[in-house]
Amino acid sequence: MGKLSELQKRLEKFDPNEILNEVLKDTKKPEELVKERLNEEGKDSKGRKLRTYGAKGFGKGVYTPYTTMLKKQKGQPFDRVTLKDTGAFQKSFEKILLKEAFNIEGNSKKDNGEIEDNVDLTNVLNLSKNELSELVNEIKPDYIEAVRQSIGL
């Protein structure tokens, strides 16, 4: 009975969210997934192409003609909004662990205002279903091992 009662005590203290946070705290994968989507696709987590507010009056382009010209001069993508002009916004991405979830946050302040002044950031810092699946597959072995250790298996 001693081993079973010990296991029961460990299970009573078992908190799957606490273990998940332990596994997540050292990975930058969520932030990397968001950066990758922005840089390669220029889309939010729902799959919608990002566009600047100013571009909406210029057909299918994602930037105004002037900004497109500047992007070309800088050698930057002009067919998608990457939110990486100086790199400061993407470098500021940080995962905030909560009790039953995590958020990705970023500093959207610029020298001349806020990124939100030009682009709708709704769903930009969320993970898509595919990104979440990729994250789960990556951390699953570490999570399983941490659960085993936590309950003494």
Side-chain angles (χ1 to χ4, degrees):
M1 256 320 243
K3 288 188 177 190
L4 281 178
S5 61
E6 287 176 26
L7 178 58
Q8 181 180 4
K9 286 180 185 177
R10 287 192 299 268
L11 288 173
E12 287 170 357
K13 293 180 183 177
F14 176 72
D15 182 349
N17 293 316
E18 186 177 308
I19 292 172
L20 183 58
N21 280 346
E22 276 298 310
V23 171
L24 283 171
K25 78 176 182 181
D26 293 326
T27 183
K28 292 284 186 195
K29 186 69 174 181
E31 298 96 308
E32 291 167 5
L33 289 168
V34 171
K35 289 177 191 177
E36 184 178 306
R37 174 178 20 90
L38 289 172
N39 293 332
E40 293 179 11
E41 301 172 26
K43 295 182 178 179
D44 69 14
S45 65
K46 303 289 185 190
R48 293 182 295 246
K49 191 172 190 172
L50 299 175
R51 296 184 71 196
T52 62
Y53 295 134
K56 294 193 177 177
F58 294 98
K60 294 186 179 189
V62 296
Y63 292 110
T64 63
Y66 178 74
T67 303
T68 299
M69 178 195 68
L70 292 176
K71 292 286 186 182
K72 287 179 180 178
Q73 287 176 351
K74 292 180 180 182
Q76 295 178 346
F78 55 89
D79 62 336
R80 63 194 180 278
V81 174
T82 64
L83 302 174
K84 189 183 177 182
D85 185 40
T86 66
F89 179 56
Q90 289 191 10
K91 286 177 188 168
S92 75
F93 289 179
E94 180 182 8
K95 176 180 61 274
I96 307 298
L97 298 173
L98 308 171
K99 177 68 178 156
E100 296 182 3
F102 66 86
N103 290 332
I104 300 171
E105 297 180 358
N107 181 354
S108 63
K109 292 188 186 331
K110 297 177 13 173
D111 291 340
N112 58 349
E114 297 273 342
I115 292 173
E116 293 97 333
D117 295 341
N118 296 310
V119 178
D120 180 5
L121 293 183
T122 306
N123 296 314
V124 166
L125 297 179
N126 300 342
L127 294 181
S128 69
K129 289 180 182 180
N130 288 341
E131 291 163 346
L132 187 56
S133 179
E134 186 176 334
L135 175 63
V136 167
N137 287 333
E138 180 167 307
I139 67 169
K140 191 185 305 183
D142 293 335
Y143 181 75
I144 290 169
E145 181 57 32
V147 168
R148 286 183 176 142
Q149 287 179 6
S150 175
I151 61 176
L153 295 179

